[in-house]
Amino acid sequence: MYAQMIKSEGTKREDMSPQELAFQARIDRGEKIEPKEWMPEGYRKTLIRQIGQHAHSEIVGQLPEGNWITRAPTLERKAILLAKVQDEAGHGLYLYSAAETLGVSRDELFEKLHSGAMKYSSIFNYPTLTWADMGAVGWLVDGAAIMNQVPLQRTSYGPYSRAMIRICKEESFHQRQGYSIMMTMAKGTPAQKDMAQDALNRFWYPALMMFGPSDKDSVHSEQSMAWKIKMNTNDELRQKFVNETVPQAEYLGLSVPDETLAWNEEKQGYDFAEPDWSEFFEVIKGNGPCNRERLEARVTAWDEGAWFREGLSAHAEKAAAARMAAE
Amino acid sequence: MTHKQWPLWEIFIRGQHGLNHRHVGSLHAPDAEMAINNARDVYTRRKEGVSIWVVPSSEITASSPSEKGPLFDPAESKVYRHPTFFDIPEEVGKM
Ligand SMILES: [Fe+2]
Ligand SMILES: [Fe+2]
């Protein structure tokens, strides 16, 4: 997902102190945990890792789409894409703010992103080669994000939950604008339809990877689910995503690049092929097609923006001094 | 790097005329003016507001969670503060 393979450090129930047990009981009752309240160190650390990675994904996620803003086919599509990418900056901000309530600063999180100590979602390490990719990204990538973010609105940590509620309100526009691009292209010339099919072919498996490794290989899920910072298992969400997406592809007249794909009446869901997990682990390790480019773009933006941040600070200090003198 | 992090601001938005300003989130900005500019961009892109307040987070004093009991429990036993505490006979009419 936007947060993948988050390492979670908790205490087993039988080893919990009375305070930890009381904390777990609050979560079990569905109470929200707020910033200044007592929480186990593991809960705090795991949340920082997860919210931080989620925030990083929002802002790095701007890059593959930002790539197409100046080349959008119409002024309207350009304005829409610009608005979508701007929303993602907002999503990053909501999430960094939520992480900051846990006692980490935004600059610390940036540093960890830039040094490679923290990750962002694997999906943003794939290139966006044609305009149809803007359709596939909105439809599939934002679509997969929605699958994960909707249940997270009920997460136990108050600021995270409120950030998710805000994000979910904006996310549906993202998916629809993507699908609308796909509809236009699928109904267009044969060449345009081919582009749409090609985009689906390239983004299908990376989108499935967004949900993280299969449950049997997902070591930290259990603790995170007990803490309600992970609401569903990876496989559950992936299945749900496939079930919803396949009919949408059919409507477009495009085919999902999976020959094994078949409706399974018994489980009321599709059987589908797993993505190539060795590819996923390579991308996570930094060896995806665009890892280096993405990180470089982030670091450059941060370094080359330094004079601007400092200039604004200097202006604020000067204005404050002038106000003091006038009083 | 000697970069100093911008202070944190709490953002309050009045959603519609006649309503209270409501806390919507926070952001970093070098001063109040920039905080308002940023709040406009981040929190009112879909006409969510007609007015913005920004307050330095460091200026907010919050009650501590450990005081929850002494602060809020006393109200629990004073149910007579609610109109539903009193049974008024139907014959009396609307009250
Ligand atoms: Fe987003
Ligand atoms: Fe989005």
Side-chain angles (χ1 to χ4, degrees):
Chain A
M1 199 12 59
Y2 275 27
Q4 294 158 325
M5 302 180 62
I6 298 301
K7 186 160 155 264
S8 149
E9 0 179 333
T11 320
K12 283 197 215 114
R13 217 172 256 260
E14 53 270 29
D15 302 328
M16 280 185 186
S17 66
Q19 203 173 21
E20 283 174 295
L21 282 168
F23 178 82
Q24 186 59 51
R26 289 190 61 195
I27 290 183
D28 295 342
R29 281 197 301 271
E31 281 179 32
K32 293 276 183 258
I33 309 301
E34 295 296 339
K36 282 180 150 186
E37 295 169 345
W38 184 86
M39 59 186 80
E41 210 27 42
Y43 177 83
R44 197 181 69 82
K45 281 193 184 152
T46 308
L47 266 176
I48 290 178
R49 251 183 241 129
Q50 177 169 331
I51 302 175
Q53 193 185 112
H54 196 155
H56 297 330
S57 299
E58 299 287 350
I59 60 163
V60 175
Q62 294 180 291
L63 299 170
E65 289 177 303
N67 186 32
W68 280 92
I69 290 173
T70 56
R71 290 177 285 165
T74 67
L75 185 57
E76 187 185 54
R77 288 288 185 196
K78 179 175 174 164
I80 291 170
L81 185 60
L82 195 56
K84 197 260 187 199
V85 171
Q86 194 188 14
D87 275 354
E88 305 300 1
H91 295 180
L93 184 135
Y94 308 153
L95 287 160
Y96 285 121
S97 296
E100 281 183 301
T101 63
L102 292 159
V104 64
S105 77
R106 188 169 70 184
D107 284 11
E108 272 173 73
L109 291 172
F110 278 165
E111 254 160 52
K112 286 193 172 154
L113 168 66
H114 297 161
S115 72
M118 281 180 92
K119 305 269 181 239
Y120 52 88
S121 176
S122 56
I123 190 72
F124 302 118
N125 291 311
Y126 290 86
T128 45
L129 303 177
T130 73
W131 172 252
D133 289 10
M134 296 302 95
V137 167
W139 171 37
L140 301 173
V141 176
D142 290 80
I146 291 171
M147 285 286 150
N148 171 262
Q149 289 172 165
V150 166
L152 272 177
Q153 293 178 103
R154 291 179 285 112
T155 185
S156 61
Y157 189 55
Y160 191 25
S161 153
R162 292 190 284 275
M164 279 301 132
I165 291 170
R166 204 161 253 293
I167 286 174
C168 284
K169 267 193 205 148
E170 302 181 346
E171 208 67 75
S172 171
F173 146 57
H174 298 178
Q175 192 185 17
R176 284 173 171 228
Q177 65 85 36
Y179 195 70
S180 145
I181 292 173
M182 291 306 263
M183 284 197 295
T184 306
M185 297 201 71
K187 274 189 273 174
T189 64
Q192 285 171 322
K193 190 170 178 184
D194 285 349
M195 277 168 77
Q197 180 64 55
D198 174 59
L200 172 57
N201 291 349
R202 283 181 290 106
F203 277 95
W204 176 255
Y205 288 105
L208 294 187
M209 290 177 200
M210 286 175 69
F211 298 94
S214 171
D215 293 348
K216 52 185 192 301
D217 306 316
S218 230
V219 268
H220 303 290
S221 279
E222 214 176 311
Q223 175 63 69
S224 289
M225 288 181 81
W227 278 333
K228 292 192 188 158
I229 59 184
K230 184 180 174 100
M231 310 301 286
N232 305 86
T233 72
N234 298 348
D235 287 335
E236 254 167 49
L237 290 175
R238 191 168 13 248
Q239 180 71 57
K240 196 160 176 257
F241 175 76
V242 171
N243 291 351
E244 280 187 23
T245 309
V246 169
Q248 294 165 357
E250 278 166 6
Y251 178 85
L252 293 171
L254 301 179
S255 44
V256 171
D258 177 358
E259 281 161 19
T260 67
L261 187 84
W263 177 254
N264 181 329
E265 188 60 32
E266 203 177 315
K267 75 170 180 187
Q268 286 294 300
Y270 288 91
D271 290 331
F272 58 94
E274 293 268 314
D276 174 0
W277 290 113
S278 61
E279 176 182 320
F280 171 77
F281 288 110
E282 277 306 305
V283 174
I284 289 278
K285 264 195 271 168
N287 303 324
C290 299
N291 294 57
R292 193 166 306 182
E293 188 185 327
R294 300 291 184 241
L295 209 55
E296 225 170 66
R298 278 307 314 158
V299 173
T300 307
W302 180 248
D303 289 348
E304 292 185 356
W307 68 270
F308 183 70
R309 291 192 300 275
E310 281 156 21
L312 285 177
S313 293
H315 173 76
E317 274 164 35
K318 241 174 148 177
R323 264 197 312 276
M324 289 277 269
E327 269 168 22
Chain B
M1 228 175 99
T2 55
H3 159 70
K4 194 165 87 230
Q5 181 156 281
W6 289 340
L8 194 66
W9 300 77
E10 298 303 322
I11 312 302
F12 299 80
I13 307 262
R14 187 199 297 286
Q16 284 170 42
H17 291 290
L19 294 185
N20 288 321
H21 282 77
R22 245 187 73 202
H23 183 245
V24 292
S26 50
L27 52 78
H28 288 279
D31 57 20
E33 193 190 338
M34 281 303 294
I36 288 185
N37 286 338
N38 291 349
R40 169 199 168 270
D41 287 346
V42 178
Y43 293 110
T44 66
R45 289 197 302 283
R46 290 178 175 79
K47 293 177 65 99
E48 288 97 335
V50 294
S51 160
I52 300 172
W53 287 352
V54 299
V55 180
S57 305
S58 58
E59 294 294 317
I60 290 183
T61 310
S63 65
S64 102
S66 60
E67 288 172 310
K68 226 163 154 183
L71 285 177
F72 307 117
D73 286 354
E76 225 163 81
S77 56
K78 298 175 183 59
V79 280
Y80 45 78
R81 282 179 168 152
H82 297 279
T84 45
F85 180 74
F86 306 93
D87 285 327
I88 304 292
E90 233 167 78
E91 304 92 278
V92 178
K94 197 171 175 290
M95 182 180 284

